Each structure stands twice: as structure tokens, then as C-alpha cells.
Amino acid sequence: MVVKETYDVIVVGAGHAGCEAALASSRLGLNTIMFTVSMSSIAFMPCNPHIGGSSKGHLVREIDALGGEMGKNIDKTYLQSRMLNKSKGPAVHSLRAQADKERYSEEMRRTLQHTDNLTLRQGEVKELIIDGDESNYSIKGVILTSNAEYYADAVILCTGTYLNARCVYGDVSENTGPNGLKAANFLTDSLLKYGIKMNRFKTGTPARIDGRTVDFSKMEEQPGDEMVVPFSFDNIGKDISREQISCWLTYTNEETHKIIRDNIDRSPLYNGDIESTGPRYCPSIESKVMTFADKERHHVFIEPEGEFTTEMYVGDMSSSLPEDVQFQMYRTVPGLENVKITRNAYAIEYDCIAGTELKASLEFKRIKNLFSAGQFNGSSGYEEAAAQGIIAGINAARKIKGLEPVVLKRSEAYIGVLIDDLVTKETNEPYRMMTSRAEYRLFLRQDNADIRLSKIGHEVGLIDDDRYNALLDKEAKIEAEVNRLKNVMVGANKNMQDFLASKNSSPLKTACSLADLMKRPELDYDSIAPIDPDREKLSDVVKEQVYINIKYEGYIERQSKQIKHFLKMENKKIPVDIDYDDVESLRIEAREKLKAIRPETLGMASRIQGVSPADCAVLEVYIRR
Amino acid sequence: MIKENDTIAAICSGLTNSGISIIRVSGEDALKVVVKIAFAKREDFDLINTKTYTAHLCKIVDPKDGTLIDEGLVLYMKGPKSYTGEDVVELQLHGGVFVANKVLNLLLKYGCRLAEPGEYTKRAFLNGKIDMAMAEAVMNVIQADNDRALNISIRQLDGELSDKIRNLRERIIHENAYLEYALDDPEHVSLDGFKDKLLLIVDDVLVEIKCLIDSYNEGRIVNEGVRTVIVGKPNAGKSSLLNVLLKEERAIVTDVAGTTRDTLEEKAVIGGVPLNIVDTAGIRDTDDVVESIGVDKAKNEIDKADLIIYVVDGSVKLSEEDREIAEFIKNKNVIVILNKCDLDLQVTFDDIKMLFDKDISIIESSMKDNEGIDEFIKVLKDMFFKGEIDTNHDIIIANERQKDALIRSFDSLTNVKDSINADVSEDFYTIDLLEAYEALGDVIGESYSDDLLDKVFSDFCVGK
């Protein structure tokens, strides 16, 4: 007799996507079971030991604003925190924290284990149980390799890089997932059976080294920020501040590059062993050396893997070169002359689906109630995975409850940009979030993620009333203060001119508002305090919003206009049952793309590669009819 | 609503008698319809088997009773290698509007629909055969009523404007891409020195866009004519001048109802300069521009005008009214006609110069005796052909939509410049850089916005 059990939602995989998906669905009241290939690899970080970074930090803040867990978990377990791009405008400030990998994983497991409606189970899913015919597939459950059958109304696949995974360095090739974990070798076939288009992607990780064998005196220290900004809007910086551990910066040199060049034909990336596509933005050290031959050196960041381990991560030096070459290569780097490798660098190949198989809700187009998130969808990165995870979890729950899915727009969230890109653009490399992908990033700041998204989080049911009311209060305070500053006029009296002179600011010719003064490059909210005696004491987060709203008003207005224009196209829905063969003036390429991807709006259609402005015009004419 | 992809037909050689008439049929059934009325002279050949880009001499026959209507060449161009991108058949007939109409009617009877204005070009655009700038050039070629206009349009059709705009877009996006790259990877990529470099490029692109915007006026004048308003006191001789000019011109092109104006315009080519004389209702009837059409409207017409002809009655002294008129027009291109020089002149050149407080073209004339007209033509030519409007001039833009898009891109780049000068952080530049990029895309239809299409294709003429 096989085990047969029934749940509301099944989550396959317990990585960063799976954790958020399972938490969202169980917190929304659905009886959820999450399968993992290993109970000790929950929320595992198989590559770099940090959370956040340029634009990824935004994703984490947004996950938090929606009621997700990643921000809270890294706040509990960070070793060092930095706000990147601080010299630039607020839109590109990006939070990054080094994580204690083991503690990160432990804390997440603890949270999962203490969540109601959530069951954790070790086991590999080998097959999907699907009902219906080709035009009307619908998921019913999964079968484990033990032959146990689990039934549910919705299934969320978050299998990461484990599908038919293969790890490679030199001529060593092992059919395992990351870090030697068991690969999932059956699910691909199950998906292909239902006509799902699959891709094979590649990524890689550098070696881990023994910190005791590193000479830090030859490197530049990279300390954390003194004032820590938490990822979670629930936390306050001083409450989570702790002694931080530094990272270290060093560089490759000509000797390193020579070793790589001399051994390049032993790299599976170059000798044809690996044919799958890797990410351009995260190249292996051999790709960097071969592609940018004129560059004399490349950065190398040495980052701690945890507080209670001597292992360190060699950032920016991922590789698939053979073990012996790795030893030689790393030892040419200043500070690593006597380094001992604890784990080899390797490249990993894995199966994932074409993102265009999904709707913007992350439900499969071809299989009803089957959702997926994370690297399985062709993305890369912990944060990208978690961001999709929470959306898939929310939407699976909403589907079961008969509610409309939550689809964030490109003008609302980086998460919106991420998912829209995944489901409309056919990416042929692992997709990474970047600030440049967000057209409206002045609105999509990390500092206002709560204002943008917590209302949605509240409506969905993941943000409680207390947090929601606190947000409304914050918004009211911001608005009141902005209005006050715009209305308080200051005159060109002697006090004023003296004050301005002391700030190297030109004297006033006529009276103006405090807001006008704040717009001067050399002045800001805090520096005009002496001439604004009536101001109330406000929290730092309120002051920050007031400052940004006034200082960058002109830019914000211009961006609002762009967003308005964008929404016009975005709100034009394409009928679900449109027959593209009936739209006769479409170019053949565009027709094929539209038929394959079936965009939900005209805006989405316009972003599909191979669909030209003229095609959009044709489509719009057709729809209007 | 018209179906987008049915088969359309129209006479595209114009509606006057000419040596040859061309009917163009475009759409899926183009050949199928044509073979119903056209039969190859070579008796063993069935026209339905014609290969693309071949011509056959055919008889055009009314299938109902077998009457021979005409003989002509039938050219088949299979889509997508055709003007519209669809299957196209062209019939070259022996001429005569009557015959062409008869053949067209047959085609309409056997499965074609009469093409809407501009529909061939619209289809060409929709099928990706031409870009927006080219589509507009087609429109201009059709409407060109002087050589110069035709020349400019043909060059635009050739893609010169598109190439130019693409080049500017490329330069903007290149800098933006670097900026984004640096922002994404602050630990590896530095923005040191970027501001200065960007400022140089922005300045450079601004100059080029400005040049295109400036060319609009020239382009408009070339296409539409010099917008001319005649002003002057009652009885100064405005209507006489108008009549003399209209007699003088070599070909009255047409009375065109203005597209945005509610007044009629007289179009005349004087000394090679196409004039568009705004016939404000007042000129002929009450002889008093300012009073009859109201001060606001007169001001409005004067604002839009490229040229003001100010007719002064030389037989009476200048009055307060003249001072008022001079005040309205003193910032414009003005030619003063000092009329009635056959009578005793009460007004001197200096009087007029004082009125304008500057040097100004004055022509002594007598409309009654046709005197001074040659000099007027000379002054007019000098004013508008100062070596500027010659065929070797750089690219010229010729419609308002393009100009608006260029102005938007100019404004956005000016914002970028302001941001750089105000030392705002680099990430803000991208908002305006992208806006400029998009606006330039609008010029050539490379970025899609929904209202563009309607705007462009609404005033095509039939037959293209």
C-alpha cells in the first residue's frame, strides 16, 4: 500500500522560492506541505554568502513589504551590512548584507517549523499527477520516488537548479545538485510529457577557502556600515545592530591570467563539454580573462561564510577549471599565496522551463493550478527566487479561493519587472535582476517599498492590521510635512541671508518656501533646521521620504508622466481567446511569437522580442474592432 | 469598421487625363480578382500562373458581356516583396480617366474595396515595409507641389532622416547603457569623469536636434508655402495687391481648405516662392483686417505668419492705426508696400522706419498701375532664397508631428544638461535620457504609442 495524503497546496523544493511560497500559502490559511530533497538544506545558499546588492536589495525590501520572510531572516543572521551606491541618488541605493549561511538556513527552518498549516517533508518528487486532455490539463498532485501520492488543489514547483543537475570542473563531472546534493532526475520528463518547453542553463560558483590560510594584510578591508539599515520594515536599525565582520578586496594579476590562458582548453566551458548558456553578467574568471584580454586585473572579494566557520568565499572567481589549475590560479592572488581550498569551484548545468510557459500570475499556461517559482523559471539568484516564491504562493492560494491573481506592474515593483521579463522575454541565459531593467526606478526605490506594496500585502492578508495602520500613519505624516514645507514662506531678511551665507548658498532675492530652499543642491532637510524652528520631531524614515519627495519633485513628476503613458498600453487587455491567425497583417515572426507567448496586455506584447511597433499597431487596430 | 486585410484597389496615377493610368490592387485576393477581368494576349497563358515581378500584356474585358475595355500591362508583385507587403497587382492602362474608372469599377464589382486615403502606405507601414518617417515622406511626395518639396520628400523616403535619427538615438542609448552598467555594478565600474563626457555628447546631440527643428520652418514653407498675411488700414490697397499677386502667379494651385484653420488660403507661386496668402475674410469684404476678424484673431494669424505684407496708403499721413499695426507685426518678416505713389506722397521711408524703429524693406508702388511688383518679387526672393533653401541643404523635417517629437527630445536632453550642471547624481539622468530616446523613436515610428498611427494616416490622399 502506498501513502496517499491530501493537502490544499504542495510546494516542491525548500530553497528561497519554496520557503516564501510555502509561508505565503500557509499563512493565508491553506493546508500546505513542502517537499525538500534534504531537511538540512532548507533555504540553503549554495553560492555567494550575501543577500541583496544592486536591485536585489530592492527585491528583498519588496518581499518584506508584501509580508514575506527573506528580509526578516537576513536581519536575524547578517554578519555585515552595507548600503551600496550611497553617493548616488536614492533610487539606486541598494542594501546588501553578508549572511551567516548556516544560521540563515537554521532560522528559516525554525520559522517554517513554527508556522501553522505548514508541513515539511523530505522526499523527491518524480512525477506530476495531471488530469484532462491537451487543451485542458489540470494538476492534481505529485508522486514521490517512494511512490507516495500527495494530492492538492494547487502545486508550486520550486526545484531550483536540481533538475537533471550536473556539476563539472575540469574533466570531473558528477550528476548532483549544488554542493553534492542529490539531483532531481525525473521531473523534467514529466514536464516534457505535457509539452512544456525546457531550457538548459548553466551557472557556477567559486572555490571556498580556509580563512586561516589567507594573508589579509595584503588586502583592502571592506567593513560594514556604521548605521545599519534593516531589510525588514518591521525592524529598526539600532535594534538589530551588532558587531560586524569585514570582507576583503584583492585582485588577480597577469600571472593568474597566464595560468588560465595556458589551461583554457581544460575548461569545460571552452572545450565543448558544457554547451548550455551561462549568465553574461556573472561570468567565470576564465570567461573574464578570455573576453577582456586587455584588462590587467579583476576584483576578487573574500567574504566570510559564517561566524563559526573558517570557510570563506572567493567572490568574482567562479570557475570550472580542473582542481590542479584552481590551486595554481588562486595562489597567484595577493593574500592567497598559501591558500588551502576547502571546496572546489565548479560549474553546474540544470534544466529549467522557458519563462514564457507561465502567465504573469506564475501559473502554467498549459496546466491549470500548477505554479512555479525561482531558478526553475530561468532566473538566477536567491532574491529573484524568493520574490517569485511569494507571488506564486499568494496566487496559488488566491486561485484556490477563487480570487483574482496579484500581478505587480513594472511601474509598481521590481518584482513586477522581474516576472514580466520572465514571462514575456525569451531569455536564453539565467535572468538576474538589475536596476537597468526597471524603467521607473525613481518610483521603485528600496526606501518606499512599504508605501508601494504593503497595501497590497494587507489586502492579500500577509500584512497585519498593526503594520498596515503604522504605514497609513507614516504616509499621513509624510504628506503633512511635505505640505507644511511647501507652505511655510521665509523672507529675505538678514538672519536668512546670514544663514544661507554660512551654508555657501546664494542669498534670497524674494521670499520663498522652505521646500524651495531644500531643492538647492547644497541644502537638505536637516541643514535647514535652524531656519525652521516650528518643525515637529519626525522619525528618520519619515524625514527620508519628505526629503526625497521635495528634493526630486521635478524628476518624480516627469517619471509619473512616463508611468501614465506606460499604463495606457498596460491596461489594454488582449482577449484571452484571440486567434492570431485571424490578425492578418502581422508579420510572420511576430505572429509566431504572439501565438507562443500569448501576452495578456498590449503593453506586454510590445515588449516581446520580434514584435515590432508596427505589429503592435496592427494588434491594437484588431483589438479595437 | 474597415477590415484591415481585405483586397483594395484605387487609381493611383491621379484623376486628370494622362498618357497612362495606373490602378493598384493590393491584398490576398489581388491576383484572383484581376484575372477575372484581365486576360493575357498570349493565348496559351493563363494569367493566374504569372510569376512575381513579371509583366504581361493583357486585354481588360468586362466578364459580364465580354466587351473589351482596354489593353494594358499587368504587373504582379507577390507579397511580402511589394510596396504594401501584400500581393500587389498593378494595371497600366492606356489612359483616360473614363477608362480607368471603368476598370476600377469592375475590380470593385469583382471583389475589391476602394482604398481609403493613404491605405496602401498604411499597409506598407503595418507590414513593416517602411518606417514612420518614410510613410510621412510618401505623403509629402504625393502632396508636393514644387520641385524642392519633392526633392526633400524623396530624400526622406530614402531613409536619410531615419538614419540621422537612428544615429542620434544610438549615441544617447550608448551613454545610457554605460550609466546603467555602472549603477548595476558600483563595486566594479566607476563613473568618474562620466558627467563631463556626457555633457559634451548631450550638447552635440542638442545642436543636431535643434538644427532639425529649425529645418521644420523651412520644410513647412517648402511644403505648404510661405504663410503670408496682408495687413493695412482700410482702403490702403490690400485687395488690389492680392488681385495683382494672384494675376502674377504662374499657377494657382488650388483653394485649399486649411487643415487647422477656418479661413481660406490662396496659394500662389510668386517668383518661385510658394505663398500661402491667408485670406482672412476681412481683406476683401470690409477691407479692415483688425476690425473684421477681431484683434485676437488677427494677432493669431500674424503670429503664425512667415511673412507680413503691410500695405500703407502713401496718399495720407500715418495715423495712430498704423502705429498699432506696426506694433503687432514688428517682430515678423515684414515687407512694406508704400502704395499710391501715383498720387502725392505724404509718407516718407523715414516715417515708416521710425514706426518700426528699424531698417525695413519698403517698396514704393502703385497697384493701380502695376508698378513696384517686380521689385516686390525681387525682395521676396531675397528674403526666402538667401541661399538657404537650396537642394543641397541638410535633412529637412516637414511635418508638425515630427517637429513635436523633436522638441520633446530637445527638452528632455536639456533636462539632462540641467541635471549635470546642478550636480545631481548620475542615476537621475536616465529618466530624461530615455525620454529623449523615446521621443526620437516617435519621429521614425520606432517606439510605439497608440495615437501615433491615427495621427499619421488620417490625411493621406487616395491612391498611394
Side-chain angles (χ1 to χ4, degrees), chain B residues 411-428:
Chain B
D411 291 346
S412 295
L413 285 179
T414 310
N415 284 335
V416 174
K417 217 177 134 175
D418 292 347
S419 300
I420 299 174
N421 289 330
D423 213 20
V424 176
S425 143
E426 293 93 339
D427 51 302
F428 285 99

Side-chain angles (χ1 to χ4, degrees), chain A residues 54-55 82 84-85 87-92 96 222 299 301 316 432 434-436 441-442 521 552 555 558-559 562 565 568-569 572 582-587 602 613-618 620-621 624-625, chain B residues 1-5 28 86 122 125-128 179-188 191 415-416 418-419 422-432 434-435 445-451 453-454:
Chain A
S54 182
S55 78
R82 286 180 71 192
L84 303 179
N85 258 336
S87 64
K88 307 285 187 317
V92 289
R96 189 185 65 191
Q222 305 267 301
H299 289 73
F301 285 99
D316 284 311
R432 187 175 108 171
M434 293 192 263
T435 58
S436 51
R441 62 166 174 242
L442 185 53
Y552 303 110
Y555 295 95
R558 295 211 284 279
Q559 184 117 93
Q562 292 174 339
H565 185 77
K568 232 172 105 187
M569 293 284 286
K572 287 189 177 136
D582 195 38
V583 191
E584 282 195 26
S585 304
L586 286 174
R587 290 173 315 117
L602 208 57
D615 296 318
C616 290
V618 172
E620 176 161 17
V621 169
R624 271 204 223 165
R625 226 184 294 156
Chain B
M1 184 92 190
I2 302 154
K3 255 192 94 187
E4 276 298 313
N5 39 45
E28 206 176 35
E86 306 168 331
K122 184 173 181 177
F125 171 75
L126 292 180
N127 290 329
L179 182 49
E180 296 283 5
Y181 166 57
L183 293 171
D184 264 325
D185 199 356
E187 287 175 312
H188 294 86
L191 281 172
N415 284 335
V416 174
D418 292 347
S419 300
D423 213 20
V424 176
S425 143
E426 293 93 339
D427 51 302
F428 285 99
Y429 307 168
T430 60
I431 295 175
D432 297 308
L434 277 182
E435 192 66 34
E446 279 191 356
S447 40
Y448 179 65
S449 65
D450 52 344
D451 37 33
L453 201 64
D454 295 343

